[in-house]
Amino acid sequence: MRLYSLLLYLFPPSFRRAHGRALLQVARTASARGDVTPRRIVADLMQASVREWLSLCPEPIRRPRGSAMHDVIRDVRYAARLLVKQPGFTLAAVVTLALGIGANTAMFSLADATLLRPVNVAQPDRLVSWTWTSAYPDYVAYTTRDDVFEGVMAWSGGSRLSVTMDDRTELTSTMFVSGNALHVLGVGAAAGRVLLPADDVPNSPIVGVLSYDYGRSRFGADPSVIGRLLRVNEQPVTIVGVAQQGFRGITLGTTPGIYVPLTAAAPIRGGFFNDPGL
């Protein structure tokens, strides 16, 4: 009975004042007769105390039957009962959703890294890009418009060309850029130097700058790669530098392995800048 008296403190004070003595008397009588066990009395008291405390809470807003919210709650309860009754189907549905969400998350992460983020250059918000179908001298004329642009650069392609070095040949994305391109973009060199305007001269020896990722994967970040000779479409190209880490190209979605001057487009593959003198 002492335990029973203590359990009465689980009830709200107002309930104890109104019904405490009566409950104690009922418990004594039931215990003396052996109608219920002490364990049953304790369980009933605990359940009753919860109901009494809930009765003191504000009445929840009840939505009328037939409302949209009532229909949603009913459908959710029905679906939950079906899922519990069919654990095999529930497991298959959960696994399917997990795989679908995981695949979509991976694709979005890839698109975000390659297509949505700005290129990793200095002040990307100040870059302006346009496409034109004129000749190389027109680009040279644009470079004199320093009243409009702080710097003007040009590039062509991102073509996969044959690159040979140490008797190993592979297709590598190669981009032709003006000699001032990396300087205009604010891209430095992790090793050696970047391209210079002096490199972008017709009929001069062809030089190239490796991207950081390509230099690391192809040559293991070996500093002795500077000054070595490789062949791009059978044309000799001297490596003069490796671009800084994090720079993965001028255009999103394109990651060149080698940058060579625009004037090298003619001897290497021809194309838009086929003859810089025209």
Side-chain angles (χ1 to χ4, degrees), residues 58-116:
E59 185 71 18
I61 299 176
R62 299 186 180 276
R63 299 184 180 272
R65 292 183 178 274
S67 66
M69 183 57 66
H70 180 270
D71 294 339
V72 171
I73 295 175
R74 182 187 59 189
D75 293 341
V76 169
R77 289 177 176 173
Y78 179 70
R81 287 198 297 268
L82 289 181
L83 292 176
V84 171
K85 290 180 179 179
Q86 302 180 26
F89 172 79
T90 303
L91 179 62
V94 170
V95 171
T96 302
L97 286 173
L99 292 176
I101 294 173
N104 279 277
T105 301
M107 291 300 297
F108 177 79
S109 299
L110 178 62
D112 177 57
T114 59
L115 300 176
L116 302 180

Side-chain angles (χ1 to χ4, degrees), residues 42-199:
V42 171
D44 289 345
L45 279 178
M46 295 184 68
Q47 293 178 6
S49 65
V50 173
R51 289 196 300 268
E52 291 300 324
W53 280 110
L54 290 177
S55 66
L56 299 178
C57 297
E59 185 71 18
I61 299 176
R62 299 186 180 276
R63 299 184 180 272
R65 292 183 178 274
S67 66
M69 183 57 66
H70 180 270
D71 294 339
V72 171
I73 295 175
R74 182 187 59 189
D75 293 341
V76 169
R77 289 177 176 173
Y78 179 70
R81 287 198 297 268
L82 289 181
L83 292 176
V84 171
K85 290 180 179 179
Q86 302 180 26
F89 172 79
T90 303
L91 179 62
V94 170
V95 171
T96 302
L97 286 173
L99 292 176
I101 294 173
N104 279 277
T105 301
M107 291 300 297
F108 177 79
S109 299
L110 178 62
D112 177 57
T114 59
L115 300 176
L116 302 180
R117 295 184 182 180
V119 292
N120 188 17
V121 298
Q123 299 178 319
D125 56 316
R126 300 185 61 189
L127 291 179
V128 178
S129 175
W130 77 92
T131 303
W132 76 95
T133 56
S134 54
Y136 187 83
D138 294 317
Y139 152 70
V140 176
Y142 283 120
T143 63
T144 63
R145 297 297 305 274
D146 55 1
D147 58 326
V148 179
F149 301 108
E150 187 174 322
V152 179
M153 52 167 284
W155 73 89
S156 173
S159 307
R160 294 180 65 83
L161 303 178
S162 171
V163 175
T164 303
M165 187 172 184
D166 298 332
D167 298 326
R168 174 182 169 184
T169 302
E170 61 185 8
L171 291 177
T172 303
S173 178
T174 305
M175 179 167 283
F176 299 92
V177 298
S178 57
N180 67 337
L182 299 182
H183 175 73
V184 170
L185 295 173
V187 176
R193 65 173 177 85
V194 297
L195 295 177
L196 303 174
D199 299 321

Side-chain angles (χ1 to χ4, degrees), residues 15-53:
F15 182 88
R16 291 201 309 270
R17 288 193 296 268
H19 308 288
R21 292 181 180 276
L23 288 175
L24 283 174
Q25 184 60 39
V26 170
R28 289 191 185 96
T29 303
S31 179
R33 292 179 180 178
D35 295 339
V36 291
T37 62
R39 180 181 299 179
R40 176 63 182 276
I41 294 176
V42 171
D44 289 345
L45 279 178
M46 295 184 68
Q47 293 178 6
S49 65
V50 173
R51 289 196 300 268
E52 291 300 324
W53 280 110

